[in-house]
Amino acid sequence: MDYGQFFVFVGVGLLAQLVDGALGMAYGLVSNSILLALGLPPALASATVHTAEVFTTGVSGASHAWFGNVRWKLFWQLAIPGAVGGILGATFLASVPGESIRPFVNVYLLVLGAMVLLRAFGKRLVRHQVQHSGVLGFFAGLLDAIGGGGWGPLATSTLIARGGAVRSTIGSVNAAEFVVTACVSATLIWHVGIDRWSIVLGLLTGGVIAAPFAAWLVRHLPERAVMGAVGSLIVLISLGQLLQMVV
């Protein structure tokens, strides 16, 4: 094992999970953006992140359930369609050449980073309550698998923007993410495998350490400041990758 690489990604996983557990988003976005910047093919980057997330989302979901943050009806409405969408998205990602889809993945991450920034500045992207949580879960799972992240920004942002209670929405989305992530990870490992286990172990170690603390932080963290920092990071990484392709 490359121990230097391992400890670097312990830090990445810890930071990403602190943000994800507190805001209901950004673990996959931050981690996948960094892996793509390091040159991993999109399918392998997504497989690596989702394998680590199986453990981190499990601990995070259990922590939110312990603190009473999960609304179980919403959990099932998101988890089952999200798993179906995730399996379909992972199968598509594994069947497409990495370099041909890399620009689209970076554009997708750029758009999600911009969405996070808009929320940081108090902009509401939609204005009515969600009537079909299952449809939302399906598309969030589909795009999460293809982009290596995005379940939280799509599901959490939409539900909160349309009137969902912040604490129960974040807890329910995080808990449902475990089911989606397990399905995406299994599908991608079946198709492409994983050969960067030091990265996986680093990400999940940092994430598991941070998950219980992040569930407690959901009531105390300055949400807009963190969203602004995370959105800026994702936008800068994605723009940098796109500019490298053009130049």
Side-chain angles (χ1 to χ4, degrees):
M1 179 185 289
D2 185 337
Y3 286 100
Q5 188 180 67
F6 170 77
F7 285 111
V8 167
F9 282 96
V10 167
V12 173
L14 192 146
L15 175 63
Q17 185 60 38
L18 279 175
V19 175
D20 185 275
L23 300 179
M25 64 178 69
Y27 183 96
L29 286 181
V30 172
S31 302
N32 197 62
S33 297
I34 293 173
L35 294 185
L36 288 175
L38 292 174
L40 268 69
L44 182 56
S46 183
T48 302
V49 171
H50 280 95
T51 300
E53 280 191 303
V54 170
F55 299 89
T56 60
T57 56
V59 175
S60 180
S63 300
H64 277 293
W66 175 265
F67 284 104
N69 297 340
V70 178
R71 185 151 49 96
W72 292 105
K73 181 179 179 180
L74 178 60
F75 166 83
W76 289 113
Q77 288 174 338
L78 293 171
I80 296 175
V84 174
I87 291 170
L88 292 176
T91 302
F92 170 77
L93 181 65
S95 65
V96 177
E99 291 308 310
S100 65
I101 198 173
R102 183 185 293 271
F104 299 99
V105 173
N106 278 303
V107 169
Y108 167 72
L109 292 172
L110 178 63
V111 170
L112 289 184
M115 286 176 57
V116 175
L117 279 176
L118 286 173
R119 277 200 58 201
F121 288 105
K123 301 294 185 181
R124 295 188 64 182
L125 304 181
V126 287
R127 299 184 180 279
H128 304 289
Q129 287 193 341
V130 174
Q131 301 298 324
H132 304 287
S133 299
V135 175
L136 173 64
F138 174 82
F139 282 105
L142 180 74
L143 294 174
D144 180 86
I146 296 173
W151 170 264
L154 287 175
T156 304
S157 295
T158 302
L159 289 168
I160 290 177
R162 295 189 175 186
V166 173
R167 185 165 64 92
S168 63
T169 296
I170 290 174
S172 302
V173 170
N174 271 23
E177 188 176 14
F178 168 72
V179 178
V180 176
T181 298
C183 292
V184 172
S185 176
T187 304
L188 286 171
I189 290 175
W190 174 265
H191 286 289
V192 302
I194 294 180
D195 60 1
R196 303 295 181 95
W197 285 103
S198 60
I199 298 178
V200 173
L201 291 174
L203 290 175
L204 72 88
T205 299
V208 167
I209 291 171
F213 186 51
W216 175 80
L217 274 181
V218 72
R219 300 179 184 179
H220 301 84
L221 209 62
E223 183 175 301
R224 288 190 177 183
V226 175
M227 283 194 295
V230 171
S232 299
L233 175 64
I234 296 166
V235 166
L236 288 173
I237 291 175
S238 302
L239 278 177
Q241 290 294 294
L242 289 169
L243 287 175
Q244 284 183 6
M245 293 174 191
V246 172
V247 175

